[in-house]
Amino acid sequence: MACADSKVDLCTVPLTALNVTVRTRLGLFLNPRTAVASDWKALAEKVDFGYLEIKNFEARLNPTAVVLDEWQARSKDATVGKLLGILEKLERNDILEDLRSAIDEDVRRYLERMANLPLQVHIVDSCVPRTPERHGLTLEDNLEGAPELFDAFICYCQSDFEFVHEMIRELEQTDYRLKLCVFDRDVLPGSCVWTITSELIERRCKRMVVVISDEYLNSDACDFQTKFALSLCPGAQQKRLIPVVYKPMKKPFPSILRFLTVCDYTRPCIQAWFWTRLAKVLSLP
């Protein structure tokens, strides 16, 4: 399926290209239950969600949005083209007619953003950087040898830095002897933030710890880091991303991470096991 005003194959454009407005309008079409038209449940079945998963989605205020978020988090096949193809098979031509121009506009903007990203090496067969600019990114990088490697990249916002300090004390300065990548401490200044971040998450760090808080939900940097890490391990097959909650939240937990087991520091009854569990998963090969 091609973009209406170009030769772009929409089956190669990830679902993340669709912005909030299009997703909200999709919900307005698909959330209501009707006897004459396929709804969000039909979409969920088409993208391989099971009965129990769909029953759980029923309790959500916007189940269509949840289906889209969960689908893109667990499948590399979650593309704009496949979504449009499913809507066509479900005979929801009303949606296609109403939203097609908005979808094409989102795709156009997404492709423009991708075209402006720094050029990256397409094939990497080891953790050793292939281009000179990827040497000297962190404090202990050896310019004449292998780059500095870490057990985990810590995704956090500035308001949660006190907890990050506690994490450093508990995981690095104890018998666990783990090596964490803390951006404000370990990364040298002067390079493109997005290039450095993707390099560290994909090639330098075995895993990523995501410190979830209300402030995290408003952070563009945390949003980029989380979605990039999820794209490397759809379905969390390698336990690459570990969500951590350390204080009560007023806002809903991010739906894109709901399918992952959470390390919860807010429950007093399990705090004694918190650091041991986190250290164990970060120590895995």
Side-chain angles (χ1 to χ4, degrees), residues 145-168:
E148 185 178 11
L149 303 179
F150 302 87
D151 292 300
F153 182 93
I154 310 301
C155 172
Y156 62 94
C157 59
Q158 294 300 314
S159 61
D160 299 321
F161 203 57
E162 184 176 345
F163 179 73
V164 174
H165 275 288
E166 184 176 357
M167 189 180 298
I168 291 171

Side-chain angles (χ1 to χ4, degrees), residues 135-141 147-148 150 181 186-188 200 204:
H135 286 282
L137 296 183
T138 58
L139 284 173
E140 297 184 18
D141 261 354
E148 185 178 11
F150 302 87
C181 181
D186 298 308
V187 175
L188 299 177
L200 291 170
R204 305 284 197 94

Side-chain angles (χ1 to χ4, degrees), residues 75-91:
S75 175
K76 292 182 178 179
D77 295 330
T79 66
V80 174
K82 187 163 185 178
L83 174 62
L84 294 180
I86 291 172
L87 292 174
E88 187 174 349
K89 289 179 181 178
L90 295 176
E91 299 182 348

